Amino acid sequence: MTPTRRAACLLALAAFGPAAPADAAGGPQTYTVRGFDSSHHNHETRNGEKAYDWPAIAHDGQQFVWLKATEGTGTVDNWFTRDLAGARSANLIHGAYHYFRPDQDGAAQADHFLATLRGAGHTGTKPGELPPAVDVEACTRDGHRLQPAQLGAFLRRVEHATGSAPAVYTRRDIVDDCLGGTKDLAGYPSWLARYGTTEPRPLPGATTWDFWQHSDHAQLPGTAGLPMDADVFHGDRAALRRLAHLS
């Protein structure tokens, strides 16, 4: 995607509004579009792995889900394809994310992620699909420090392959402390983690966030009974549908 196309994408995100109710400072409960994110860890109960009841999840009012697809250059989450099928069957807006490892090449990680998505019939550009996302939360791994150029290679490769700016999951302190406060991520949709009732600070150079992971211990009907990551969207239902290529 060219800088011009990316700018147009960000202008579209800004126009999704309203960004939130006027009293949004009251915490995540003031945002009406709720969702969650999941990986194989959320299925691993003491009595063995447990599948989700996707109709019950949708009935509970969850409107979107982010699913872990891959990690590094060779790992595929063993629940990704099953949960992807479940989310589709429940008509839940869904996205896929990659866990980024600082000790492995960024472009190679992107290729692994993209190949896994293609194999599952998911591109991040079809109706009901959110843009692909990258999970950036590890500053170091096996003595290798996270580098802006390494992450940039991943983002550019995914963007070129899909024609869509990928979303970036991270925390503001990760960007400040591990990436030198780079403003390069301001050009991508952001999915920020900050637990509690205080909204996350936008990334350097950005003016807002798009998704907020506000809890890592939510109890969601239809899941395996383990604590879940809960998210809200910075916009209304119509805005989420537009982001997910739905009219």
Side-chain angles (χ1 to χ4, degrees):
M1 181 181 287
T2 65
T4 300
R5 287 189 65 196
R6 184 183 302 139
C9 175
L10 293 172
L11 284 172
L13 278 167
F16 279 160
D23 60 348
Q29 70 275 8
T30 59
Y31 293 90
T32 59
V33 181
R34 298 182 293 122
F36 68 106
D37 53 276
S38 176
S39 74
H40 67 279
H41 295 294
N42 301 107
H43 292 272
E44 297 171 348
T45 73
R46 292 181 179 179
N47 298 317
E49 294 187 348
K50 181 179 178 182
Y52 295 161
D53 181 343
W54 285 96
I57 290 173
H59 182 73
D60 181 57
Q62 302 300 314
Q63 299 179 56
F64 65 89
V65 60
W66 292 100
L67 300 171
K68 182 179 180 180
T70 52
E71 178 175 335
T73 58
T75 300
V76 177
D77 190 280
N78 60 10
W79 274 92
F80 174 59
T81 55
R82 286 174 283 182
D83 283 344
L84 186 63
R88 287 168 173 163
S89 71
N91 293 319
L92 204 66
I93 288 173
H94 49 281
Y97 73 88
H98 171 84
Y99 184 90
F100 193 86
R101 287 184 48 158
D103 61 328
Q104 296 182 359
D105 180 75
Q109 291 189 64
D111 289 341
H112 173 52
F113 181 43
L114 291 165
T116 301
L117 298 190
R118 285 194 298 268
H122 180 92
T123 65
T125 61
K126 297 177 182 177
E129 296 179 352
L130 294 169
V134 59
D135 176 347
V136 183
E137 57 182 284
C139 278
T140 60
R141 181 75 177 254
D142 294 337
H144 296 267
R145 186 172 177 83
L146 180 66
Q147 299 294 329
Q150 177 192 32
L151 178 58
F154 177 97
L155 293 169
R156 289 190 298 273
R157 185 69 63 94
V158 172
E159 192 172 14
H160 177 76
T162 65
S164 179
V168 177
Y169 168 92
T170 192
R171 302 192 313 269
R172 174 63 186 259
D173 65 295
I174 292 290
V175 177
D176 289 343
D177 298 341
C178 307
L179 291 169
T182 179
K183 295 182 179 180
D184 291 347
L185 301 180
Y188 297 92
S190 61
W191 171 21
L192 303 183
R194 183 168 185 171
Y195 303 146
T197 59
T198 302
E199 294 188 17
R201 289 187 298 154
L203 297 182
T207 58
T208 189
W209 48 267
D210 300 295
F211 294 87
W212 172 17
Q213 185 189 76
H214 60 86
S215 176
D216 63 350
H217 58 271
Q219 293 296 321
L220 302 182
T223 58
L226 301 174
M228 302 292 295
D229 295 334
D231 306 276
V232 293
F233 175 62
H234 203 196
D236 58 16
R237 171 69 175 176
L240 181 69
R241 286 178 57 81
R242 289 192 292 273
L243 183 61
H245 316 287
L246 295 165
S247 57

